[in-house]
């Protein structure tokens, strides 16, 4: 048994159980002062509890007792303070001038939301081709420019020009999409005419 544990055990063993207190100033090995046990504890040995605690457990036990005492006292303190706080608030409100108590309330109105703007659509003519297959091939080259262009739906319209039947390639797009379509048509060396 280590020396510290041995001296602790001796100190605990030295606690008088007859209810007499050890003489003041007397210490045992390791600088421990023996405690004493009251006559009531000797008469009721079930109430007697001797425990060896390390300093951390001792602090935790002390703090738990303080927390319990505070938790028991708080409800009574709150209950006692309610009338005092209520009276103080009532006095401050009553002491205000009548104009301060009746201050006008400003109401802010929110501006009306902007009406939903419908996009302005433009019809683009991308060329007139000798066959529907040539018109579809031209659209495939233009649509390769990206999602903005490929998401549009082209129209292939037959048209008579100077006794010949041609296929006109048209698409309806918003302003931003129309710019993208015209850039793609220029890159594919095709025309891009805006029609209202």
């Amino acid at each position: 048994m280590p020396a510290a544990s041995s001296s602790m055990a001796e100190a605990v063993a030295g606690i008088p159980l007859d209810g007499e207190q050890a003489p003041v100033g007397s210490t045992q090995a390791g600088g421990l002062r023996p405690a004493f046990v009251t006559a009531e504890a000797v008469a009721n040995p079930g109430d007697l509890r001797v425990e060896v605690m390390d300093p951390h457990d001792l602090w935790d036990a002390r703090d738990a007792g303080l927390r319990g005492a505070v938790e028991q006292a708080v409800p009574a303190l709150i209950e006692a303070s309610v009338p005092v706080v209520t009276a103080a608030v009532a006095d401050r409100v009553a002491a205000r001038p009548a104009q301060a108590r009746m201050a006008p309330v400003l109401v802010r109105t929110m501006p009306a939301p902007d009406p939903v703007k419908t996009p302005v659509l433009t019809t683009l003519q991308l060329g007139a081709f000798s066959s529907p297959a040539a018109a579809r091939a031209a659209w495939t080259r233009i649509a390769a420019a990206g999602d903005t262009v490929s998401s549009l739906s082209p129209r292939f319209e037959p048209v008579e020009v100077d006794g010949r039947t041609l296929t006109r390639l048209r698409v309806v797009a918003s302003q931003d999409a129309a710019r993208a379509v015209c850039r793609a048509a220029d890159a594919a060396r095709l025309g891009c005419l805006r029609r209202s």
Side-chain angles (χ1 to χ4, degrees), residues 35-53:
F36 74 96
V37 179
T38 62
E40 291 88 21
V42 173
N44 299 319
D47 294 343
L48 178 64
R49 182 172 164 195
V50 177
E51 228 179 287
V52 177
M53 302 175 80

Side-chain angles (χ1 to χ4, degrees), residues 54-78:
D54 70 15
H56 298 292
D57 291 338
L58 188 61
W59 283 102
D60 289 345
R62 184 206 65 176
D63 290 346
L66 289 176
R67 272 194 302 271
V70 169
E71 287 172 358
Q72 287 177 350
V74 166
L77 289 172
I78 291 173

Side-chain angles (χ1 to χ4, degrees), residues 152-175:
L152 299 173
S153 299
R155 293 190 316 219
F156 304 97
E157 301 170 349
V159 64
E160 288 289 326
V161 177
D162 295 330
R164 293 177 42 200
T165 302
L166 300 175
T167 303
R168 185 181 289 161
L169 172 57
R170 286 187 170 186
V171 68
V172 177
S174 67
Q175 290 179 355

Side-chain angles (χ1 to χ4, degrees), residues 124-136:
L124 302 173
Q125 182 173 323
L126 303 172
F129 300 90
S130 60
S131 69
R136 290 185 200 290

Side-chain angles (χ1 to χ4, degrees), residues 11-12 33 43 55 58-59 63 106 112 140 156 158 169 173 176 185 190 194:
V12 170
R33 181 170 297 180
L58 188 61
W59 283 102
D63 290 346
L106 298 176
T140 302
F156 304 97
L169 172 57
D176 291 337
L190 297 168
R194 293 179 186 261

Side-chain angles (χ1 to χ4, degrees), residues 54-128:
D54 70 15
H56 298 292
D57 291 338
L58 188 61
W59 283 102
D60 289 345
R62 184 206 65 176
D63 290 346
L66 289 176
R67 272 194 302 271
V70 169
E71 287 172 358
Q72 287 177 350
V74 166
L77 289 172
I78 291 173
E79 189 175 333
S81 67
V82 168
V84 174
V85 171
T86 304
V89 170
D91 289 345
R92 291 205 65 183
V93 170
R96 284 186 182 169
Q99 293 144 348
R101 288 194 307 250
M102 302 291 284
V105 176
L106 298 176
V107 178
R108 286 188 177 181
T109 58
M110 298 297 291
D114 290 337
V116 178
K117 294 181 180 177
T118 56
V120 176
L121 299 178
T122 303
T123 301
L124 302 173
Q125 182 173 323
L126 303 172

